Amino acid sequence: MTRRLDVVVVGGGIHGVGVAQAAAAAGHSVLLLEKRALAAGTSSKSSKLIHGGLRYLESGQFHLVWESLIERRILLDIAPDLVHMVPFHLPVYRSTRRRPWQLRIGLSMYAVLGGFERTFRFGSIPRREWQALDGLETRGLESVLRYYDAQTDDAALTRAVMQSAQSLGAELAMPAEFFAAELRQQSAIVRYSHHGRESECEATVLVNAAGPWVNEVAQRITPAITVPNIELVQGSHIVVPGEPRRGIYYVESPRDGRAVFVMPWHGNTLVGTTETRFRGDPDHLHPLAAERHYLVSVLKHYFPRYARLGARDLIDSFAGLRVLPGGPGHAFHRSRETLYVADRPLKPRTLGVYGGKLTGWRATAELVMKRIAGSLPVRRPRADTRSLKLRAVT
Ligand SMILES: Cc1cc2nc3c(=O)[nH]c(=O)nc-3n(C[C@H](O)[C@H](O)[C@H](O)COP(=O)(O)OP(=O)(O)OC[C@H]3O[C@@H](n4cnc5c(N)ncnc54)[C@H](O)[C@@H]3O)c2cc1C
């Protein structure tokens, strides 16, 4: 007999594990299918920031920033081993497009949206302290603003959320690749391979949290469901030797004005990111030579001690894919709000999660649960994800 579960989730990235945790916390039976490893996709390739996203204020995405800052507060509370505050430095040179007064307005809005918590203090670093800023270029430097935001280890966070889900009864099948689903009146028959063996189960709701593979998974569902027009945008990072001691630097690429982060990362420096339209297969994703070159040139521009850094000196480089709504214009200005696509509005049998942020994974998962609640049986909740502690998995 085919086994029946309340929720089957495809994808062991931050959104999939978040949904597994929220569903298990709400008392449901859950199975998560991950074809490679937890956080094998975008969730280990992000900039690793738990933040509102100061730059999203520029494109007017206030709701996103506000919600992300609430989530930042929750994560600092429930995952103190995994999420911590870091000073961010915004150097302003004569040539910097965003002027200090504009940045001050942005930081003030950031503080307002964050509810004026103590962590939203910001100010200028006195000129006499500039020499201590990890070798930051001081020629042409007019001002350095400092504010605080949070950093994490994205893959470790993903594993911690999955462990929390499992402690509430969720099951993980890995490696387990989703092949197909057939929608019935009140459920979906899900076919997958687990350790190479074909398996089948019945899900009251199938949640598609396959990140960049989301439409590939959606197209394997019959009868066919709506598949939104999306664009995959590649973002690459490089890792170079030497760790900044003072925190994170938020610089502006001299070439195109894009924001680039220079961050401490496991004893080294992480620099990112880029935005390159991607049309290939997400299973074969690599940073491009042009992206590595772009990031190295930004690093050298602001940190002259890297003047001799060559391609061979890079410790690592990796690329991730953002899922953005398709449309005209530059990806930078495209909405970063999460999109939820269900096969039917009231009692969905399947729901897809499109886009989103690492920071907002918990809120996203709770929203998914709200959207699919009408299809699920009433169960006795086991926990509240707002207060469930997350611990690093050793
Ligand atoms: C360059 C970059 C930087 C970013 N920086 C930040 C940041 O600093 N802060 C922030 O808040 N957000 C950031 N984000 C956004 C954030 O990283 C993503 O929104 C998030 O990681 C997406 O997670 P996901 O679970 O949706 O997808 P993924 O992590 O990609 O997970 C999808 C999973 O589905 C699995 N899968 C696919 N197909 C199948 C199948 N058929 N069967 C089984 N499993 C399958 C894959 O193996 C994968 O593990 C960044 C994104 C990018 C690209």
Side-chain angles (χ1 to χ4, degrees), residues 14-265:
I14 194 69
H15 288 135
V17 299
V19 172
Q21 187 210 36
H28 296 291
S29 53
V30 198
L31 171 67
L32 186 143
L33 309 174
E34 167 52 52
K35 68 174 177 178
R36 283 154 70 199
L38 291 176
T42 321
S43 299
S44 57
K45 314 289 189 307
S46 81
S47 299
K48 296 138 198 347
L49 300 177
I50 297 295
H51 63 159
L54 192 57
R55 76 186 177 95
Y56 300 133
L57 292 176
E58 276 186 314
S59 45
Q61 299 183 61
F62 302 116
H63 180 264
L64 175 69
V65 175
W66 173 75
E67 187 185 62
S68 301
L69 290 174
I70 293 177
E71 288 306 310
R72 189 190 82 172
R73 192 182 318 142
I74 294 173
L75 287 176
L76 285 165
D77 181 41
I78 62 176
D81 302 347
L82 289 155
V83 181
H84 56 278
M85 294 299 283
V86 186
F88 279 59
H89 302 89
L90 281 163
V92 185
Y93 297 83
R94 276 198 288 278
S95 55
T96 305
R97 296 176 202 194
R98 296 164 186 93
R99 303 314 302 156
W101 64 269
Q102 289 172 305
L103 295 172
R104 281 180 184 280
I105 290 177
L107 288 168
S108 304
M109 282 168 71
Y110 208 54
V112 171
L113 291 168
F116 291 111
E117 270 182 47
R118 203 170 51 82
T119 48
F120 286 96
R121 286 169 291 150
F122 68 88
S124 302
I125 299 191
R127 190 176 283 264
R128 63 177 182 280
E129 289 177 28
W130 289 356
Q131 290 307 328
L133 293 177
D134 297 297
L136 181 72
E137 175 66 271
T138 50
R139 277 178 300 169
L141 188 59
E142 289 181 342
S143 153
V144 183
L145 292 166
R146 179 169 52 200
Y147 72 105
Y148 293 83
D149 230 328
Q151 194 182 20
T152 190
D153 178 328
D154 47 4
L157 182 65
T158 305
R159 289 192 292 270
V161 178
M162 189 65 224
Q163 197 187 50
S164 165
Q166 286 172 296
S167 74
L168 295 165
E171 288 175 55
L172 169 65
M174 190 173 79
E177 180 162 6
F178 166 87
F179 281 147
E182 189 191 314
L183 301 180
R184 300 268 168 93
Q185 203 57 25
Q186 308 288 347
S187 65
I189 302 297
V190 181
R191 298 200 174 89
Y192 60 99
S193 77
H194 186 201
H195 285 294
R197 274 188 50 195
E198 288 207 14
S199 301
E200 181 180 289
C201 66
E202 187 171 2
T204 305
V205 184
L206 172 71
V207 175
N208 174 1
W213 296 266
V214 63
N215 273 352
E216 189 185 301
V217 165
Q219 277 155 354
R220 294 179 185 177
I221 299 174
T222 49
I225 55 164
T226 310
V227 175
N229 175 25
I230 56 168
E231 198 177 299
L232 298 180
V233 177
Q234 169 165 345
S236 292
H237 289 83
I238 55 170
V239 181
V240 301
E243 188 176 40
R245 302 265 162 215
R246 299 285 157 157
I248 293 179
Y249 295 83
Y250 191 160
V251 297
E252 191 180 274
S253 158
R255 199 190 301 173
D256 53 16
R258 288 185 59 260
V260 173
F261 294 107
V262 177
M263 302 167 274
W265 181 242

